[in-house]
Amino acid sequence: MSRWEEMADRVLAGEAVTREEALAIMACPDAEFLELLSQGYRLRRRYYGNWVRFQHLVNIQSGYCPEDCGYCSQSRVSMADIARYPLVDVETMVEGARRAHALGATTVCLVASGRGPNPREIARVTEAVATIKQELPVRVCACLGLLRPDQAAALKAAGVDRYNHNLNTSEAHTPAIVTTHGYQDRVRTVEVVKAAGISPCSGLIVGMGESDADLVDVAFALRALEVESIPINFLHPVPGTPLADRPLTPPLRDLKAVIMMRFVNPTREIRLAGGRELQLRSLQALGLYVANSLFVADYLTTPGQDPGLDHQMVRDLGFEVEPPGLELPLP
Ligand code: SF4
């Protein structure tokens, strides 16, 4: 029995991996990678079978952000050539949800740039969410920045199922990435979301110059916060952003991060998110042996691959796209 099989047996028996074991996954020799991957697949199969959940992003407000997140093309320090527009109207948000449904997504994510929402944004998003929930069999995830309890309560009352606010990186590495808000601000928003009864979604970005220990720190922080959905983004170094010159990371290292996240958070929804086409390239499909969710179509300011290729990838693996209404338990 390999050490990875023994570790997976213990996780399947309900035991939590240790920090040292998570670090060992990140340091797994490439020669052992396939065995590690297959043990990650055992965990994924236990909780999600061969289903793949599709989600779709709608960028409802782009650019003009006062924050300085180094990876983001919408920040105040970004010179990236992107579309910049204020909050779109309700019909445009609903139209985005219709497109999500047509693409096979069971969750639509309404994402606005900015430090946090103002009353006008909350009012417009809540109106749109009510319409979407009436019309379409989709879950709605909102991502509007730092949130106060009264704003979270308003979103909950409108029918928002999930709220995304990524930790992005470890507490130690955060100051190298952003200076206009801190790691604890992000943690607080996740806690506010949970307290309002909204399912918390929070993840990270791999490839921002962090160490393996930073990635392990985030995985354990997400476990401690009991987040239910974990998007794993891979840095897309956009020209004009402070991280534009960061080299791409080896795809096997990216995949080890996905596997490590599965071992630390075995029951959680884990999504291959932004940058997967660029960073994982030909190894994207391997990621689905461990992750159980994908963003389909374009990201906020960068194009994704053709949605037909994502459907094809799922079929090629012998997996199935989760249909609307299947209602796999939200872990
Ligand atoms: S990640 Fe969000 S808060 Fe940070 S700069 Fe981009 S839009 Fe602003």
Side-chain angles (χ1 to χ4, degrees), residues 59 61-85 112-115 168 177-181 186 238-244 300-301:
N59 194 353
Q61 174 169 277
S62 182
Y64 306 120
C65 183
E67 304 297 293
D68 69 353
C69 307
Y71 53 84
C72 180
S73 57
Q74 305 186 65
S75 80
R76 73 169 193 215
V77 294
S78 163
M79 306 294 284
D81 181 19
I82 59 162
R84 293 181 167 79
Y85 49 85
S113 61
R115 181 178 171 88
N168 284 328
I177 301 300
V178 57
T179 66
T180 48
H181 60 263
R186 290 186 165 267
V238 176
T241 61
L243 298 186
L300 297 176
T301 61

mmCIF file of all heavy atoms in Angstrom, residues 59 61-85 112-115 168 177-181 186 238-244 300-301:
data_model
loop_
_atom_site.group_PDB
_atom_site.id
_atom_site.type_symbol
_atom_site.label_atom_id
_atom_site.label_comp_id
_atom_site.label_asym_id
_atom_site.label_seq_id
_atom_site.Cartn_x
_atom_site.Cartn_y
_atom_site.Cartn_z
ATOM 1 N N ASN A 59 -19.936 39.261 -15.295
ATOM 2 C CA ASN A 59 -19.246 40.433 -14.750
ATOM 3 C C ASN A 59 -20.205 41.622 -14.788
ATOM 4 O O ASN A 59 -20.384 42.264 -15.820
ATOM 5 C CB ASN A 59 -17.987 40.740 -15.577
ATOM 6 C CG ASN A 59 -17.073 41.722 -14.868
ATOM 7 O OD1 ASN A 59 -17.435 42.271 -13.818
ATOM 8 N ND2 ASN A 59 -15.903 41.949 -15.434
ATOM 9 N N GLN A 61 -20.146 44.460 -13.106
ATOM 10 C CA GLN A 61 -19.517 45.803 -12.981
ATOM 11 C C GLN A 61 -18.025 45.604 -13.174
ATOM 12 O O GLN A 61 -17.426 44.794 -12.472
ATOM 13 C CB GLN A 61 -19.822 46.397 -11.611
ATOM 14 C CG GLN A 61 -19.104 47.717 -11.328
ATOM 15 C CD GLN A 61 -19.652 48.367 -10.082
ATOM 16 O OE1 GLN A 61 -20.674 49.041 -10.129
ATOM 17 N NE2 GLN A 61 -19.000 48.161 -8.954
ATOM 18 N N SER A 62 -17.430 46.333 -14.100
ATOM 19 C CA SER A 62 -16.047 46.013 -14.469
ATOM 20 C C SER A 62 -15.136 47.229 -14.333
ATOM 21 O O SER A 62 -15.449 48.316 -14.832
ATOM 22 C CB SER A 62 -16.020 45.499 -15.914
ATOM 23 O OG SER A 62 -14.707 45.133 -16.283
ATOM 24 N N GLY A 63 -13.997 47.004 -13.663
ATOM 25 C CA GLY A 63 -13.001 48.067 -13.548
ATOM 26 C C GLY A 63 -13.349 49.096 -12.495
ATOM 27 O O GLY A 63 -14.224 48.886 -11.651
ATOM 28 N N TYR A 64 -12.628 50.219 -12.517
ATOM 29 C CA TYR A 64 -12.860 51.345 -11.601
ATOM 30 C C TYR A 64 -12.752 50.958 -10.131
ATOM 31 O O TYR A 64 -13.371 51.587 -9.269
ATOM 32 C CB TYR A 64 -14.239 51.980 -11.837
ATOM 33 C CG TYR A 64 -14.520 52.405 -13.245
ATOM 34 C CD1 TYR A 64 -15.592 51.873 -13.943
ATOM 35 C CD2 TYR A 64 -13.711 53.345 -13.886
ATOM 36 C CE1 TYR A 64 -15.872 52.258 -15.251
ATOM 37 C CE2 TYR A 64 -13.977 53.736 -15.193
ATOM 38 C CZ TYR A 64 -15.046 53.181 -15.865
ATOM 39 O OH TYR A 64 -15.318 53.554 -17.150
ATOM 40 N N CYS A 65 -12.000 49.906 -9.804
ATOM 41 C CA CYS A 65 -11.940 49.486 -8.401
ATOM 42 C C CYS A 65 -10.879 50.284 -7.662
ATOM 43 O O CYS A 65 -9.769 50.465 -8.164
ATOM 44 C CB CYS A 65 -11.639 47.999 -8.300
ATOM 45 S SG CYS A 65 -11.645 47.432 -6.578
ATOM 46 N N PRO A 66 -11.171 50.763 -6.445
ATOM 47 C CA PRO A 66 -10.183 51.534 -5.681
ATOM 48 C C PRO A 66 -9.121 50.669 -5.013
ATOM 49 O O PRO A 66 -8.169 51.205 -4.436
ATOM 50 C CB PRO A 66 -11.044 52.226 -4.616
ATOM 51 C CG PRO A 66 -12.194 51.296 -4.405
ATOM 52 C CD PRO A 66 -12.459 50.661 -5.746
ATOM 53 N N GLU A 67 -9.275 49.356 -5.067
ATOM 54 C CA GLU A 67 -8.314 48.468 -4.395
ATOM 55 C C GLU A 67 -7.117 48.199 -5.312
ATOM 56 O O GLU A 67 -7.151 48.511 -6.514
ATOM 57 C CB GLU A 67 -9.012 47.160 -3.990
ATOM 58 C CG GLU A 67 -10.220 47.368 -3.117
ATOM 59 C CD GLU A 67 -9.887 48.017 -1.774
ATOM 60 O OE1 GLU A 67 -9.214 47.388 -0.952
ATOM 61 O OE2 GLU A 67 -10.283 49.178 -1.565
ATOM 62 N N ASP A 68 -6.062 47.603 -4.733
ATOM 63 C CA ASP A 68 -4.834 47.424 -5.526
ATOM 64 C C ASP A 68 -4.360 45.968 -5.596
ATOM 65 O O ASP A 68 -3.150 45.710 -5.572
ATOM 66 C CB ASP A 68 -3.716 48.339 -4.994
ATOM 67 C CG ASP A 68 -3.215 47.922 -3.612
ATOM 68 O OD1 ASP A 68 -3.822 47.016 -3.003
ATOM 69 O OD2 ASP A 68 -2.209 48.489 -3.147
ATOM 70 N N CYS A 69 -5.293 45.044 -5.695
ATOM 71 C CA CYS A 69 -4.930 43.616 -5.793
ATOM 72 C C CYS A 69 -4.041 43.413 -7.031
ATOM 73 O O CYS A 69 -4.443 43.708 -8.162
ATOM 74 C CB CYS A 69 -6.179 42.753 -5.900
ATOM 75 S SG CYS A 69 -7.393 43.069 -4.587
ATOM 76 N N GLY A 70 -2.843 42.866 -6.799
ATOM 77 C CA GLY A 70 -1.828 42.825 -7.850
ATOM 78 C C GLY A 70 -2.147 41.926 -9.024
ATOM 79 O O GLY A 70 -1.614 42.106 -10.124
ATOM 80 N N TYR A 71 -3.017 40.946 -8.824
ATOM 81 C CA TYR A 71 -3.367 39.994 -9.884
ATOM 82 C C TYR A 71 -4.507 40.489 -10.752
ATOM 83 O O TYR A 71 -4.821 39.881 -11.774
ATOM 84 C CB TYR A 71 -3.798 38.656 -9.248
ATOM 85 C CG TYR A 71 -4.901 38.851 -8.218
ATOM 86 C CD1 TYR A 71 -6.226 38.921 -8.589
ATOM 87 C CD2 TYR A 71 -4.591 39.034 -6.864
ATOM 88 C CE1 TYR A 71 -7.219 39.149 -7.664
ATOM 89 C CE2 TYR A 71 -5.577 39.266 -5.934
ATOM 90 C CZ TYR A 71 -6.891 39.317 -6.338
ATOM 91 O OH TYR A 71 -7.878 39.576 -5.420
ATOM 92 N N CYS A 72 -5.162 41.593 -10.344
ATOM 93 C CA CYS A 72 -6.464 41.930 -10.911
ATOM 94 C C CYS A 72 -6.370 43.019 -11.977
ATOM 95 O O CYS A 72 -5.811 44.094 -11.729
ATOM 96 C CB CYS A 72 -7.407 42.370 -9.799
ATOM 97 S SG CYS A 72 -9.046 42.804 -10.408
ATOM 98 N N SER A 73 -6.955 42.758 -13.118
ATOM 99 C CA SER A 73 -6.928 43.731 -14.209
ATOM 100 C C SER A 73 -7.911 44.871 -13.991
ATOM 101 O O SER A 73 -7.926 45.833 -14.751
ATOM 102 C CB SER A 73 -7.232 43.027 -15.532
ATOM 103 O OG SER A 73 -8.474 42.374 -15.442
ATOM 104 N N GLN A 74 -8.748 44.792 -12.937
ATOM 105 C CA GLN A 74 -9.752 45.826 -12.688
ATOM 106 C C GLN A 74 -9.336 46.790 -11.579
ATOM 107 O O GLN A 74 -10.086 47.678 -11.200
ATOM 108 C CB GLN A 74 -11.076 45.174 -12.302
ATOM 109 C CG GLN A 74 -11.547 44.157 -13.336
ATOM 110 C CD GLN A 74 -12.924 43.635 -13.013
ATOM 111 O OE1 GLN A 74 -13.900 44.389 -13.038
ATOM 112 N NE2 GLN A 74 -13.016 42.367 -12.686
ATOM 113 N N SER A 75 -8.135 46.592 -11.022
ATOM 114 C CA SER A 75 -7.712 47.398 -9.875
ATOM 115 C C SER A 75 -7.319 48.815 -10.295
ATOM 116 O O SER A 75 -7.116 49.096 -11.473
ATOM 117 C CB SER A 75 -6.507 46.727 -9.208
ATOM 118 O OG SER A 75 -5.341 47.039 -9.946
ATOM 119 N N ARG A 76 -7.160 49.645 -9.300
ATOM 120 C CA ARG A 76 -6.786 51.048 -9.569
ATOM 121 C C ARG A 76 -5.373 51.161 -10.125
ATOM 122 O O ARG A 76 -5.008 52.182 -10.704
ATOM 123 C CB ARG A 76 -6.926 51.882 -8.293
ATOM 124 C CG ARG A 76 -5.851 51.618 -7.276
ATOM 125 C CD ARG A 76 -5.863 52.641 -6.155
ATOM 126 N NE ARG A 76 -4.654 52.545 -5.371
ATOM 127 C CZ ARG A 76 -4.586 52.752 -4.066
ATOM 128 N NH1 ARG A 76 -5.665 53.085 -3.397
ATOM 129 N NH2 ARG A 76 -3.448 52.653 -3.437
ATOM 130 N N VAL A 77 -4.536 50.143 -9.909
ATOM 131 C CA VAL A 77 -3.155 50.199 -10.394
ATOM 132 C C VAL A 77 -2.987 49.454 -11.715
ATOM 133 O O VAL A 77 -1.884 49.391 -12.253
ATOM 134 C CB VAL A 77 -2.163 49.632 -9.353
ATOM 135 C CG1 VAL A 77 -2.122 50.508 -8.120
ATOM 136 C CG2 VAL A 77 -2.520 48.195 -8.974
ATOM 137 N N SER A 78 -4.067 48.897 -12.223
ATOM 138 C CA SER A 78 -3.956 48.116 -13.463
ATOM 139 C C SER A 78 -4.032 49.023 -14.691
ATOM 140 O O SER A 78 -4.876 49.920 -14.768
ATOM 141 C CB SER A 78 -5.102 47.092 -13.511
ATOM 142 O OG SER A 78 -5.270 46.610 -14.820
ATOM 143 N N MET A 79 -3.137 48.762 -15.642
ATOM 144 C CA MET A 79 -3.182 49.466 -16.931
ATOM 145 C C MET A 79 -3.705 48.523 -18.023
ATOM 146 O O MET A 79 -3.518 48.770 -19.212
ATOM 147 C CB MET A 79 -1.764 49.927 -17.322
ATOM 148 C CG MET A 79 -1.050 50.756 -16.278
ATOM 149 S SD MET A 79 -1.854 52.329 -16.034
ATOM 150 C CE MET A 79 -1.268 53.152 -17.519
ATOM 151 N N ALA A 80 -4.310 47.436 -17.590
ATOM 152 C CA ALA A 80 -4.750 46.415 -18.550
ATOM 153 C C ALA A 80 -5.828 46.972 -19.471
ATOM 154 O O ALA A 80 -6.644 47.816 -19.082
ATOM 155 C CB ALA A 80 -5.287 45.200 -17.799
ATOM 156 N N ASP A 81 -5.818 46.459 -20.677
ATOM 157 C CA ASP A 81 -6.780 46.892 -21.684
ATOM 158 C C ASP A 81 -8.040 46.039 -21.544
ATOM 159 O O ASP A 81 -8.176 44.987 -22.161
ATOM 160 C CB ASP A 81 -6.143 46.692 -23.076
ATOM 161 C CG ASP A 81 -7.072 47.149 -24.180
ATOM 162 O OD1 ASP A 81 -7.999 47.922 -23.893
ATOM 163 O OD2 ASP A 81 -6.882 46.694 -25.330
ATOM 164 N N ILE A 82 -8.961 46.498 -20.681
ATOM 165 C CA ILE A 82 -10.186 45.728 -20.439
ATOM 166 C C ILE A 82 -11.401 46.636 -20.620
ATOM 167 O O ILE A 82 -11.289 47.864 -20.602
ATOM 168 C CB ILE A 82 -10.233 45.152 -19.001
ATOM 169 C CG1 ILE A 82 -10.153 46.295 -17.959
ATOM 170 C CG2 ILE A 82 -9.133 44.124 -18.786
ATOM 171 C CD1 ILE A 82 -10.609 45.899 -16.584
ATOM 172 N N ALA A 83 -12.554 46.013 -20.774
ATOM 173 C CA ALA A 83 -13.802 46.783 -20.791
ATOM 174 C C ALA A 83 -14.068 47.297 -19.379
ATOM 175 O O ALA A 83 -13.924 46.553 -18.410
ATOM 176 C CB ALA A 83 -14.945 45.885 -21.253
ATOM 177 N N ARG A 84 -14.395 48.573 -19.267
ATOM 178 C CA ARG A 84 -14.741 49.141 -17.955
ATOM 179 C C ARG A 84 -16.153 49.693 -18.047
ATOM 180 O O ARG A 84 -16.460 50.464 -18.961
ATOM 181 C CB ARG A 84 -13.751 50.250 -17.559
ATOM 182 C CG ARG A 84 -12.351 49.716 -17.291
ATOM 183 C CD ARG A 84 -11.362 50.811 -16.870
ATOM 184 N NE ARG A 84 -10.126 50.236 -16.333
ATOM 185 C CZ ARG A 84 -9.131 49.739 -17.081
ATOM 186 N NH1 ARG A 84 -9.206 49.798 -18.393
ATOM 187 N NH2 ARG A 84 -8.071 49.211 -16.514
ATOM 188 N N TYR A 85 -17.016 49.270 -17.120
ATOM 189 C CA TYR A 85 -18.398 49.774 -17.144
ATOM 190 C C TYR A 85 -18.989 49.728 -15.736
ATOM 191 O O TYR A 85 -18.598 48.903 -14.909
ATOM 192 C CB TYR A 85 -19.255 48.964 -18.128
ATOM 193 C CG TYR A 85 -19.161 47.457 -17.999
ATOM 194 C CD1 TYR A 85 -19.950 46.763 -17.086
ATOM 195 C CD2 TYR A 85 -18.272 46.720 -18.787
ATOM 196 C CE1 TYR A 85 -19.872 45.374 -16.979
ATOM 197 C CE2 TYR A 85 -18.186 45.334 -18.675
ATOM 198 C CZ TYR A 85 -18.995 44.677 -17.765
ATOM 199 O OH TYR A 85 -18.903 43.306 -17.660
ATOM 200 N N ALA A 112 -19.182 41.718 -9.113
ATOM 201 C CA ALA A 112 -18.976 43.156 -9.324
ATOM 202 C C ALA A 112 -17.608 43.557 -8.803
ATOM 203 O O ALA A 112 -17.188 43.117 -7.735
ATOM 204 C CB ALA A 112 -20.061 43.958 -8.609
ATOM 205 N N SER A 113 -16.920 44.404 -9.536
ATOM 206 C CA SER A 113 -15.657 44.947 -9.050
ATOM 207 C C SER A 113 -15.957 45.925 -7.915
ATOM 208 O O SER A 113 -17.066 46.452 -7.798
ATOM 209 C CB SER A 113 -14.929 45.669 -10.181
ATOM 210 O OG SER A 113 -15.727 46.738 -10.645
ATOM 211 N N GLY A 114 -14.938 46.189 -7.096
ATOM 212 C CA GLY A 114 -15.108 47.191 -6.040
ATOM 213 C C GLY A 114 -14.738 46.646 -4.684
ATOM 214 O O GLY A 114 -14.653 45.436 -4.483
ATOM 215 N N ARG A 115 -14.538 47.566 -3.727
ATOM 216 C CA ARG A 115 -14.176 47.154 -2.364
ATOM 217 C C ARG A 115 -15.353 46.462 -1.676
ATOM 218 O O ARG A 115 -15.194 45.526 -0.919
ATOM 219 C CB ARG A 115 -13.742 48.393 -1.566
ATOM 220 C CG ARG A 115 -13.333 48.092 -0.152
ATOM 221 C CD ARG A 115 -12.863 49.340 0.569
ATOM 222 N NE ARG A 115 -12.679 49.079 1.988
ATOM 223 C CZ ARG A 115 -11.549 48.622 2.528
ATOM 224 N NH1 ARG A 115 -10.509 48.410 1.763
ATOM 225 N NH2 ARG A 115 -11.456 48.403 3.831
ATOM 226 N N ASN A 168 -7.669 34.123 -1.340
ATOM 227 C CA ASN A 168 -6.668 34.341 -2.398
ATOM 228 C C ASN A 168 -5.290 33.792 -2.097
ATOM 229 O O ASN A 168 -4.664 33.155 -2.927
ATOM 230 C CB ASN A 168 -6.535 35.825 -2.761
ATOM 231 C CG ASN A 168 -7.697 36.283 -3.602
ATOM 232 O OD1 ASN A 168 -8.242 35.503 -4.380
ATOM 233 N ND2 ASN A 168 -8.095 37.530 -3.447
ATOM 234 N N ILE A 177 0.595 41.063 -2.104
ATOM 235 C CA ILE A 177 -0.390 41.016 -3.180
ATOM 236 C C ILE A 177 -1.315 42.217 -3.165
ATOM 237 O O ILE A 177 -1.738 42.721 -4.202
ATOM 238 C CB ILE A 177 -1.227 39.706 -3.056
ATOM 239 C CG1 ILE A 177 -0.314 38.478 -3.129
ATOM 240 C CG2 ILE A 177 -2.324 39.637 -4.109
ATOM 241 C CD1 ILE A 177 0.483 38.354 -4.410
ATOM 242 N N VAL A 178 -1.659 42.685 -1.957
ATOM 243 C CA VAL A 178 -2.615 43.802 -1.843
ATOM 244 C C VAL A 178 -2.284 44.605 -0.581
ATOM 245 O O VAL A 178 -1.893 44.030 0.429
ATOM 246 C CB VAL A 178 -4.071 43.274 -1.798
ATOM 247 C CG1 VAL A 178 -4.293 42.287 -0.670
ATOM 248 C CG2 VAL A 178 -5.084 44.422 -1.713
ATOM 249 N N THR A 179 -2.440 45.945 -0.697
ATOM 250 C CA THR A 179 -2.163 46.780 0.485
ATOM 251 C C THR A 179 -3.392 47.544 0.961
ATOM 252 O O THR A 179 -3.400 48.087 2.058
ATOM 253 C CB THR A 179 -1.054 47.818 0.179
ATOM 254 O OG1 THR A 179 -1.559 48.742 -0.795
ATOM 255 C CG2 THR A 179 0.210 47.161 -0.339
ATOM 256 N N THR A 180 -4.446 47.601 0.152
ATOM 257 C CA THR A 180 -5.600 48.438 0.500
ATOM 258 C C THR A 180 -6.612 47.729 1.402
ATOM 259 O O THR A 180 -7.544 48.359 1.900
ATOM 260 C CB THR A 180 -6.311 48.919 -0.780
ATOM 261 O OG1 THR A 180 -6.510 47.792 -1.647
ATOM 262 C CG2 THR A 180 -5.494 49.982 -1.494
ATOM 263 N N HIS A 181 -6.477 46.449 1.545
ATOM 264 C CA HIS A 181 -7.227 45.732 2.582
ATOM 265 C C HIS A 181 -6.370 44.557 3.042
ATOM 266 O O HIS A 181 -5.367 44.223 2.404
ATOM 267 C CB HIS A 181 -8.617 45.279 2.093
ATOM 268 C CG HIS A 181 -8.575 44.356 0.913
ATOM 269 N ND1 HIS A 181 -8.749 44.790 -0.378
ATOM 270 C CD2 HIS A 181 -8.353 43.024 0.826
ATOM 271 C CE1 HIS A 181 -8.658 43.759 -1.205
ATOM 272 N NE2 HIS A 181 -8.414 42.680 -0.513
ATOM 273 N N ARG A 186 -10.855 39.936 4.685
ATOM 274 C CA ARG A 186 -11.463 38.885 3.853
ATOM 275 C C ARG A 186 -12.067 37.783 4.725
ATOM 276 O O ARG A 186 -13.160 37.294 4.453
ATOM 277 C CB ARG A 186 -10.421 38.324 2.882
ATOM 278 C CG ARG A 186 -10.053 39.342 1.809
ATOM 279 C CD ARG A 186 -9.140 38.810 0.731
ATOM 280 N NE ARG A 186 -9.155 39.740 -0.395
ATOM 281 C CZ ARG A 186 -9.961 39.654 -1.442
ATOM 282 N NH1 ARG A 186 -10.808 38.650 -1.541
ATOM 283 N NH2 ARG A 186 -9.936 40.556 -2.400
ATOM 284 N N VAL A 238 -1.931 39.086 -16.518
ATOM 285 C CA VAL A 238 -2.475 39.969 -17.551
ATOM 286 C C VAL A 238 -1.523 41.157 -17.755
ATOM 287 O O VAL A 238 -1.138 41.819 -16.779
ATOM 288 C CB VAL A 238 -3.877 40.481 -17.138
ATOM 289 C CG1 VAL A 238 -4.412 41.486 -18.151
ATOM 290 C CG2 VAL A 238 -4.845 39.305 -16.985
ATOM 291 N N PRO A 239 -1.134 41.447 -18.991
ATOM 292 C CA PRO A 239 -0.288 42.626 -19.241
ATOM 293 C C PRO A 239 -0.937 43.893 -18.666
ATOM 294 O O PRO A 239 -2.138 44.091 -18.814
ATOM 295 C CB PRO A 239 -0.232 42.682 -20.776
ATOM 296 C CG PRO A 239 -0.494 41.274 -21.229
ATOM 297 C CD PRO A 239 -1.446 40.688 -20.218
ATOM 298 N N GLY A 240 -0.106 44.696 -17.994
ATOM 299 C CA GLY A 240 -0.638 45.922 -17.396
ATOM 300 C C GLY A 240 -0.966 45.778 -15.921
ATOM 301 O O GLY A 240 -1.279 46.756 -15.255
ATOM 302 N N THR A 241 -0.862 44.543 -15.389
ATOM 303 C CA THR A 241 -1.076 44.348 -13.947
ATOM 304 C C THR A 241 0.275 44.136 -13.267
ATOM 305 O O THR A 241 1.248 43.722 -13.922
ATOM 306 C CB THR A 241 -1.968 43.116 -13.674
ATOM 307 O OG1 THR A 241 -1.314 41.944 -14.192
ATOM 308 C CG2 THR A 241 -3.329 43.258 -14.313
ATOM 309 N N PRO A 242 0.368 44.399 -11.959
ATOM 310 C CA PRO A 242 1.655 44.257 -11.268
ATOM 311 C C PRO A 242 2.248 42.846 -11.358
ATOM 312 O O PRO A 242 3.455 42.690 -11.249
ATOM 313 C CB PRO A 242 1.308 44.628 -9.821
ATOM 314 C CG PRO A 242 0.135 45.553 -9.940
ATOM 315 C CD PRO A 242 -0.662 45.036 -11.100
ATOM 316 N N LEU A 243 1.406 41.831 -11.512
ATOM 317 C CA LEU A 243 1.930 40.458 -11.581
ATOM 318 C C LEU A 243 2.096 39.977 -13.029
ATOM 319 O O LEU A 243 2.231 38.771 -13.277
ATOM 320 C CB LEU A 243 1.018 39.503 -10.801
ATOM 321 C CG LEU A 243 0.889 39.772 -9.298
ATOM 322 C CD1 LEU A 243 0.073 38.665 -8.619
ATOM 323 C CD2 LEU A 243 2.243 39.894 -8.624
ATOM 324 N N ALA A 244 2.118 40.920 -13.963
ATOM 325 C CA ALA A 244 2.167 40.547 -15.390
ATOM 326 C C ALA A 244 3.397 39.710 -15.739
ATOM 327 O O ALA A 244 3.342 38.888 -16.651
ATOM 328 C CB ALA A 244 2.152 41.808 -16.251
ATOM 329 N N LEU A 300 -13.863 36.911 -15.840
ATOM 330 C CA LEU A 300 -14.329 38.296 -15.701
ATOM 331 C C LEU A 300 -13.772 39.198 -16.793
ATOM 332 O O LEU A 300 -14.512 39.977 -17.398
ATOM 333 C CB LEU A 300 -13.948 38.826 -14.319
ATOM 334 C CG LEU A 300 -14.606 38.062 -13.162
ATOM 335 C CD1 LEU A 300 -14.108 38.586 -11.826
ATOM 336 C CD2 LEU A 300 -16.121 38.157 -13.246
ATOM 337 N N THR A 301 -12.470 39.098 -17.039
ATOM 338 C CA THR A 301 -11.871 39.966 -18.062
ATOM 339 C C THR A 301 -11.005 39.175 -19.034
ATOM 340 O O THR A 301 -10.350 39.774 -19.883
ATOM 341 C CB THR A 301 -11.001 41.072 -17.413
ATOM 342 O OG1 THR A 301 -9.938 40.448 -16.677
ATOM 343 C CG2 THR A 301 -11.819 41.961 -16.486
#
